[in-house]
Amino acid sequence: MIFSRRRGGSGRHARDERSGGPADVARDSPAEENAAPEHGPYDSSEAPEGVQRLDLGSLHIPAVEGVEVRVQANPDGSVQQVVLVDGGNALQLAVFAAPRSEGIWAEFREEIRTSLFNDGVAAQESDGEHGVELRARVRTPEGLTDLRFVGVDGPRWMVRGIFQGPVAADPGVSDRLTRAFEGLVVDRGGEAKPVREPLPLRLPREVAEQQAAQQEAAQQQAAQQQPAAPAANGAAPGDQQPHKRKPSPRPRRAD
């Protein structure tokens, strides 16, 4: 079971990234633009080539042997949830729009901490490979579960990962999930979006068509297996109606 929590917004939630001012221009220096990152998540403009990835629109997931990609999608192909699974460990992914001028992970992290605290869960900050992380232990129907919240701010986007299971307490437990996270590629696109809005995720066209065909076939099979509706008088279709008995002749009264 993947732990998820609804988080409330804040004043920046409705702000549009087009409101950025001169600070947007001053943020990137030539040295920063030319510096190639050691690992991802990558922006699509700087992602290494020659890597097989699952294209989900705004998020491309690298193929890592031993890691299963589980996608929850609507009938129209839009993706609601992406989870990577490696045995008893899981990584839930999400990607959001961000402004040019500053990152939003610190703000997200504080909201997560507050939400956990309101539920009686203490969260601790720690330094990780991608900066400040948040760790907590929560109670689920399966028992106590460790969680580790990781955020990476990119150019006009932010990726959030929630590690669950033993890997949340010890990243070395699942090197495969770590490599999958660090191999992510974000295709932000050029469309302006409100800050913190989830970037759209979609199944690849061939996968969406296959899923739609499977759902249609399942619906047709279910319809064929449904019993026919009973007749109006309650008799089953095909049953012959019982013959009505003619009333016996009334005996004649003797005069």
Side-chain angles (χ1 to χ4, degrees):
M1 176 178 180
I2 300 303
F3 175 87
S4 61
R5 180 180 304 278
R6 183 177 180 181
R7 300 176 180 84
S10 64
R12 195 175 291 175
H13 195 46
R15 187 183 66 203
D16 190 281
E17 60 187 351
R18 290 171 293 185
S19 62
D24 297 349
V25 179
R27 177 176 180 266
D28 296 323
S29 65
E32 291 174 337
E33 292 177 354
N34 296 330
E38 297 180 0
H39 53 68
Y42 303 96
D43 186 74
S44 57
S45 63
E46 58 190 13
E49 298 180 357
V51 178
Q52 182 181 359
R53 302 183 181 95
L54 175 64
D55 184 353
L56 296 181
S58 297
L59 197 61
H60 298 187
I61 302 174
V64 177
E65 185 177 358
V67 173
E68 177 186 358
V69 181
R70 297 180 183 177
V71 177
Q72 180 181 341
N74 294 326
D76 63 357
S78 60
V79 174
Q80 297 299 312
Q81 183 172 263
V82 180
V83 180
L84 310 186
V85 179
D86 177 18
N89 299 284
L91 169 60
Q92 183 177 341
L93 298 171
V95 59
F96 305 88
R100 295 178 182 271
S101 57
E102 57 184 331
I104 58 176
W105 169 235
E107 186 176 294
F108 264 75
R109 191 172 66 247
E110 185 58 33
E111 292 179 5
I112 296 171
R113 181 206 296 276
T114 301
S115 180
L116 291 171
F117 178 80
N118 291 338
D119 288 344
V121 177
Q124 302 292 330
E125 288 189 347
S126 62
D127 291 329
E129 182 67 27
H130 301 280
V132 181
E133 303 175 348
L134 202 61
R135 301 192 182 196
R137 178 169 292 180
V138 300
R139 186 175 299 279
T140 68
E142 290 77 20
L144 292 176
T145 301
D146 288 314
L147 301 175
R148 177 162 53 95
F149 299 84
V150 180
V152 177
D153 290 305
R156 300 171 63 216
W157 52 260
M158 191 274 286
V159 169
R160 185 200 65 203
I162 307 177
F163 289 87
Q164 176 179 334
V167 68
D170 180 5
V173 169
S174 177
D175 178 66
R176 289 187 287 260
L177 284 182
T178 300
R179 285 190 284 119
F181 184 76
E182 294 182 347
L184 295 174
V185 175
V186 179
D187 186 357
R188 168 63 178 78
E191 182 182 354
K193 295 182 178 296
V195 173
R196 299 165 59 100
E197 178 177 295
L199 296 181
L201 300 175
R202 295 191 62 84
L203 291 174
R205 184 178 64 180
E206 58 274 14
V207 177
E209 291 175 351
Q210 181 181 6
Q211 177 176 299
Q214 291 175 347
Q215 291 179 343
E216 183 178 358
Q219 292 174 354
Q220 292 178 353
Q221 183 178 4
Q224 294 174 356
Q225 293 177 349
Q226 288 181 352
N233 60 2
D239 288 352
Q240 295 183 353
Q241 300 298 319
H243 295 288
K244 295 183 179 181
R245 295 179 59 187
K246 294 182 179 180
S248 302
R250 298 178 62 183
R252 295 180 179 179
R253 185 176 57 182
D255 293 337

